[in-house]
């Protein structure tokens, strides 16, 4: 097929991708690939011949068919999720979330996802009866908000902090609690506007509970987030001190032979 015509075998001078076949997904991918093969911008072959019109047309068609239209991929995924999130069979919805995960960690695609109305899928999916849908939705929120003030603002305005806190505390699925905590961390870091709703919804109590979870990942991630928040925001630090967190964490630290995360929090509170 034409779509399969543009496949490149990477030569040894491509340090990033040596030994792999790469099919560019976007024009930026194609440009990066070309630069990797020819850092000086010269032609890969000294015997290259001029392209006639027929060859040019073929190559243009091949390029167009091999490059993904990200906007269409996002639109299709949103449509599928809206249609299938309440289905008894979660497979189609899972696949749509997996497609989103391929794109929304890029800032432009993440912002486009919001503009296309994609944020509307989160509330029903975070309350889905399927564990696999809940954790995927939380994971996408994390991807969207990590180092992205635009998406942080809109997720915050949509009221997701209490939802994520509830999932961290009460979701029976371990993976969803973990992904929800990750989403909360991405939403709150370097985001001072998140502090007020976090405190209003007993966020410190939720994270304290998570530090005492039997699930090691929840312990580590909650301690890390508390440590970061202490360093970034004096109000959080003062609130934790007034609630007796130093004593609580001192007791918690005594329960573990080594807990670097708790040590970080104690250092931040001093």
């Amino acid at each position: 097929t034409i779509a399969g015509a543009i496949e490149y075998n990477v030569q040894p001078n491509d340090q990033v991708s040596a030994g792999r076949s790469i099919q560019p997904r976007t024009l930026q991918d194609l440009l990066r690939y070309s630069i990797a093969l020819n850092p000086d911008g010269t032609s890969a072959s000294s015997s290259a011949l001029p392209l006639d019109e027929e060859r040019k047309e073929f190559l243009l068609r091949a390029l167009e068919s091999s490059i993904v239209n990200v906007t269409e991929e996002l639109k299709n995924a949103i449509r599928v999720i809206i249609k299938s999130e309440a289905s008894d069979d979660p497979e189609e919805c899972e696949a749509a979330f997996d497609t989103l995960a391929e794109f929304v960690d890029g800032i432009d695609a993440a912002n486009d996802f919001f503009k296309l109305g994609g944020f509307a899928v989160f509330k029903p999916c975070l309350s889905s009866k399927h564990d696999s849908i809940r954790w995927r939705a939380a994971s996408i929120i994390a991807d969207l908000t990590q180092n992205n003030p635009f998406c942080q603002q809109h997720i915050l305005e949509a009221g997701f902090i209490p939802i994520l806190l509830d999932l961290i505390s009460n979701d029976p699925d371990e993976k969803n609690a973990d992904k929800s905590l990750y989403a909360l961390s991405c939403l709150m870091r370097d985001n001072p506007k998140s502090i007020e709703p976090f405190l209003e919804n007993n966020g410190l109590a939720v994270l304290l509970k998570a530090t005492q979870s039997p699930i090691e990942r929840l312990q580590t991630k909650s301690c890390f987030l508390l440590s970061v928040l202490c360093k970034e925001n004096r109000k959080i630090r003062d609130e934790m001190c007034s609630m007796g967190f130093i004593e609580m964490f001192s007791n918690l630290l005594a329960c573990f032979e080594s807990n670097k995360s708790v040590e970080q929090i104690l250092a931040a509170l001093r």
Side-chain angles (χ1 to χ4, degrees):
T1 65
I2 293 177
I6 302 298
E7 185 170 296
Y8 305 89
N9 289 316
V10 180
Q11 300 303 316
N13 63 323
D14 181 0
Q15 297 178 358
V16 176
S17 306
R20 292 193 293 117
S21 291
I22 293 179
Q23 186 168 348
R25 300 178 65 85
T26 66
L27 286 172
Q28 288 180 329
D29 291 343
L30 182 59
L31 176 61
R32 282 195 294 269
Y33 181 83
S34 300
I35 292 172
L37 285 184
N38 302 285
D40 60 356
T42 60
S43 172
S45 172
S46 59
S47 60
L49 298 174
L51 290 176
D52 57 32
E53 289 303 317
E54 184 178 354
R55 287 182 177 179
K56 284 182 182 179
E57 185 178 349
F58 170 79
L59 287 174
L60 286 173
R61 289 200 308 269
L63 282 171
E64 288 173 358
S65 65
S66 67
I67 294 172
V68 174
N69 186 324
V70 175
T71 300
E72 286 304 313
E73 292 286 333
L74 296 177
K75 286 181 180 178
N76 290 336
I78 292 167
R79 282 195 291 265
V80 170
I81 293 170
I82 291 173
K83 181 184 73 173
S84 63
E85 59 87 13
S87 171
D88 289 335
D89 183 357
E91 186 173 347
E92 192 175 12
C93 192
E94 291 171 0
F97 271 117
D98 292 342
T99 296
L100 289 179
E102 296 180 21
F103 300 106
V104 297
D105 57 349
I107 288 180
D108 290 339
N111 295 348
D112 286 344
F113 180 71
F114 166 76
K115 294 170 186 176
L116 292 169
F119 282 22
V121 307
F122 289 130
K123 286 186 178 178
C125 288
L126 288 172
S127 61
S128 170
K129 60 186 176 182
H130 300 294
D131 297 341
S132 59
I133 300 303
R134 296 199 305 279
W135 73 253
R136 280 177 169 83
S139 182
I140 293 296
I141 290 176
D143 290 340
L144 290 164
T145 56
Q146 188 168 35
N147 302 318
N148 187 337
F150 178 85
C151 285
Q152 283 181 335
Q153 175 188 343
H154 288 287
I155 286 288
L156 188 62
E157 290 175 353
F160 280 96
I161 280 186
I163 296 172
L164 293 173
L165 289 171
D166 181 65
L167 291 169
I168 294 166
S169 286
N170 301 314
D171 196 284
D173 181 66
E174 177 180 319
K175 189 168 187 177
N176 190 47
D178 177 53
K179 293 293 186 181
S180 297
L181 180 51
Y182 177 45
L184 181 71
S185 180
C186 292
L187 174 59
M188 294 195 67
R189 291 174 66 184
D190 297 315
N191 185 9
K193 293 181 180 179
S194 67
I195 299 301
E196 204 64 40
F198 173 76
L199 293 175
E200 288 174 355
N201 288 278
N202 298 316
L204 288 176
V206 170
L207 292 188
L208 175 62
K209 179 182 174 183
T211 64
Q212 302 171 72
S213 167
I215 304 168
E216 186 174 353
R217 289 195 304 275
L218 288 183
Q219 290 178 15
T220 302
K221 289 182 180 179
S222 57
C223 286
F224 174 74
L225 178 55
L226 284 168
S227 177
V228 169
L229 293 177
C230 282
K231 293 173 183 176
E232 288 184 352
N233 192 280
R234 183 176 182 84
K235 186 173 183 179
I236 290 282
R237 188 164 61 250
D238 292 345
E239 187 74 17
M240 290 177 68
C241 288
S242 69
M243 292 174 65
F245 266 61
I246 292 179
E247 292 79 7
M248 286 186 280
F249 279 119
S250 297
N251 294 333
L252 183 61
L253 186 60
C255 298
F256 300 94
E257 292 182 5
S258 176
N259 193 323
K260 298 295 184 183
S261 298
V262 175
E263 291 175 8
Q264 286 181 357
I265 298 174
L266 289 172
L269 285 169
R270 291 192 184 103

